[in-house]
Amino acid sequence: MEFEIVNKESIRPSSPTPPELRHLYLSFFDASVPCQYLQCVFFYHNNNQCSADSRRRSHSEVLKHSLSEVLTHYYPFAGRLIDGASVECNNVGATFTEANLQCPMSDVTKSDEIWKLLCPEDGTEINPILSVQLTRFQCGGEAICVFLSHKLSDVITFATFMNDWASIARSPGALLPVSPQFNAASFFPPGRKPFPLVREQRVDNTVVKRFVFEGSKITALKVMVSEKVENPTRIELLSALIYKAVVISAGGFEKRPPPPSSLLQVVNIRKRVVPPLPEALKGNIITFYVVPLQEEVELWEVVRDMKRNFEEFCDKYPQNYEAAEWISLHKLFMEESFGRMAQNFYTCSSWCNVGLYEVDFGCGKPAWITMPDIVRKNSIVLMDLKHELEGMEALVCLDKDVMAAFERNEELLCFGCLKS
């Protein structure tokens, strides 16, 4: 399997950032997230909408030119993190790498080594803020892998950026539907000590695996749980199913009683605060609520507790962010949540329904979207399946011993399967 990097360069914004925008302060929520990258890889078939020469030469030029154009609007992504609280928007640029991989695109899931080759870098640096790698496969297919610093972006911002970039690639010079705003700190002033500006690394002895849940199986799961819980969402159902299976698996094959555990469920608060936030506001506009699990229970009970704790979150969460006491109230909410957490805790976030499968650079929409890796242990990420109505893919990062039990959990395997 031959791999070759054929080009690597910095892509700067097509227009320089004005002096008054050169220094960006991170918001309360930006400061609250760990220093890691949002990672996503988009796979595109060679669908003959573009000629071979176009895909190998002019297509990469289109990607680079449109990236330069979109970075004028997303200027912080071309800058550099200088501490845990601010960004120097200095037009240094995003890294763009082109590579050739002599294997079919269908071989990706057969080797962990291929996933590493698709990523733009594997170092320990916190910069650049944005890195992209275009990899061409032997079959003519392509993968576009994007690393974007979590300090400046949640999944909503990430998806909007990708679709804006693709829109410019399809229609050079076109205006963006909404011009992005990077002034979240004026709505949510930094009120806590930021996370250390040290990039998180994968813990030894952990493994990431992908599980597929067909829409029909999720529907059957909903029918079963709905006998006890009113109108559960597919996110709640799958989060609860995986969370319960993980906690049981932590007891090992000896089926010891599960240890007390907590799930941190990430929440997008854009539509849950008053007054409404600007549609164009970018950055991390997310927080979390906690779902404890003290003993082995039925699946419907986990879903019930999840819905109940979410409702409690919505009731207690300080919605009026313009109030002077907002930051102190939210800090109190976070402290109370952490105080309820068990030593064993897991994190679940959803990348569903954000439009990632609409990212079309001019040669068709992606055939598959996934994450090449998950850095943080005990993490669960839910993603859409393109060709499966209401189906979902779950990426799970666990200790190897826990994963060995998890992937054999009978209740889990009634509704999903390991992706091959």
Side-chain angles (χ1 to χ4, degrees):
M1 181 177 61
E2 183 180 347
F3 175 77
E4 178 188 15
I5 292 179
V6 296
N7 184 48
K8 185 174 182 178
E9 59 186 289
S10 291
I11 306 297
R12 298 173 181 266
S14 57
S15 299
T17 303
E20 65 271 18
L21 299 177
R22 295 274 292 191
H23 197 81
L24 175 71
Y25 287 101
L26 301 181
S27 73
F28 174 85
F29 294 114
D30 294 327
S32 301
V33 300
C35 190
Q36 58 180 258
Y37 282 100
L38 298 179
Q39 307 178 23
C40 193
V41 57
F42 300 75
F43 292 94
Y44 295 87
H45 287 309
N46 182 5
N47 56 14
N48 297 319
Q49 291 188 34
C50 298
S51 66
D53 181 67
S54 172
R55 294 188 70 87
R56 292 186 179 277
R57 296 183 183 179
S58 63
H59 189 220
S60 66
E61 293 304 315
V62 167
L63 290 175
K64 289 186 286 187
H65 179 77
S66 55
L67 179 58
S68 176
E69 291 291 325
V70 79
L71 284 176
T72 299
H73 304 280
Y74 288 83
Y75 58 91
F77 296 175
R80 292 295 182 266
L81 285 160
I82 55 175
D83 54 41
S86 60
V87 177
E88 187 68 27
C89 304
N90 53 13
N91 303 305
V92 174
T95 300
F96 190 96
T97 305
E98 297 177 66
N100 294 328
L101 184 57
Q102 297 302 313
C103 74
M105 195 163 68
S106 57
D107 282 359
V108 166
T109 58
K110 299 177 183 178
S111 167
D112 290 341
E113 186 61 31
I114 294 180
W115 288 112
K116 295 177 183 177
L117 295 176
L118 296 180
C119 296
E121 52 77 42
D122 61 353
T124 60
E125 297 297 322
I126 59 169
N127 286 307
I129 290 171
L130 173 66
S131 295
V132 178
Q133 180 171 311
L134 168 66
T135 303
R136 303 181 183 92
F137 293 94
Q138 192 175 31
C139 60
E142 293 180 344
I144 299 176
C145 186
V146 181
F147 277 35
L148 178 59
S149 175
H150 199 351
K151 298 299 290 184
L152 280 84
S153 175
D154 59 13
V155 64
I156 300 295
T157 296
F158 179 90
T160 306
F161 165 72
M162 292 301 301
N163 276 288
D164 284 346
W165 177 16
S167 175
I168 291 175
R170 295 192 309 272
S171 303
L175 297 176
L176 297 183
V178 179
S179 184
Q181 297 178 19
F182 289 93
N183 59 333
S186 64
F187 295 91
F188 307 106
R192 60 164 291 166
K193 184 178 179 181
F195 268 80
L197 205 58
V198 178
R199 181 176 168 188
E200 285 196 20
Q201 300 295 311
R202 171 85 83 79
V203 178
D204 291 339
N205 204 42
T206 59
V207 61
V208 175
K209 293 200 175 182
R210 294 167 174 80
F211 297 83
V212 173
F213 300 84
E214 297 177 356
S216 59
K217 295 289 188 179
I218 297 177
T219 299
L221 181 63
K222 182 171 184 175
V223 170
M224 183 183 77
V225 173
S226 294
E227 295 178 358
K228 299 283 188 177
V229 182
E230 184 179 358
N231 196 30
T233 69
R234 64 175 183 150
I235 303 297
E236 290 169 341
L237 290 165
L238 213 52
S239 300
L241 177 68
I242 294 171
Y243 176 36
K244 182 190 174 192
V246 167
V247 172
I248 292 173
S249 301
F253 289 110
E254 299 84 1
K255 297 185 177 180
R256 299 184 299 271
S261 303
S262 298
L263 179 71
L264 272 68
Q265 190 82 13
V266 178
V267 183
N268 171 19
I269 64 166
R270 284 171 171 80
K271 297 181 180 181
R272 302 189 185 279
V273 295
V274 290
L277 293 169
E279 179 185 355
L281 190 64
K282 299 296 179 275
N284 289 285
I285 319 295
I286 53 174
T287 187
F288 65 90
Y289 67 97
V290 175
V291 184
L293 189 60
Q294 302 296 329
E295 58 186 2
E296 188 170 350
V297 295
E298 296 296 326
L299 177 61
W300 70 265
E301 293 177 283
V302 183
V303 178
R304 178 202 62 194
D305 291 348
M306 190 171 289
K307 291 184 78 70
R308 182 172 59 198
N309 289 12
F310 179 63
E311 291 169 359
E312 179 183 309
F313 161 83
C314 293
D315 290 339
K316 286 189 174 181
Y317 184 82
Q319 294 184 336
N320 185 9
Y321 61 84
E322 291 186 338
E325 68 274 14
W326 188 91
I327 288 293
S328 59
L329 286 173
H330 185 71
K331 288 174 68 177
L332 178 61
F333 168 81
M334 294 179 70
E335 290 169 1
E336 289 177 348
S337 297
F338 280 118
R340 295 164 54 193
M341 282 174 50
Q343 183 175 356
N344 294 307
F345 71 92
Y346 306 86
T347 303
C348 182
S349 59
S350 170
W351 286 46
C352 298
N353 303 321
V354 295
L356 288 173
Y357 274 103
E358 300 302 312
V359 178
D360 178 1
F361 290 97
C363 293
K365 295 179 180 180
W368 182 33
I369 297 168
T370 191
M371 298 177 68
D373 196 12
I374 297 178
V375 172
R376 176 168 284 194
K377 186 180 77 169
N378 293 345
S379 292
I380 304 161
V381 179
L382 306 178
M383 305 187 79
D384 289 316
L385 288 179
K386 180 178 182 180
H387 300 297
E388 178 64 47
L389 184 64
E390 294 298 304
M392 297 172 70
E393 175 179 302
L395 292 91
V396 185
C397 179
L398 299 170
D399 280 329
K400 290 181 179 179
D401 291 342
V402 177
M403 181 65 80
F406 174 76
E407 63 186 6
R408 292 170 175 80
N409 181 275
E410 293 181 1
E411 187 173 41
L412 179 78
L413 295 177
C414 285
F415 301 98
C417 63
L418 186 65
K419 185 177 180 68
S420 59

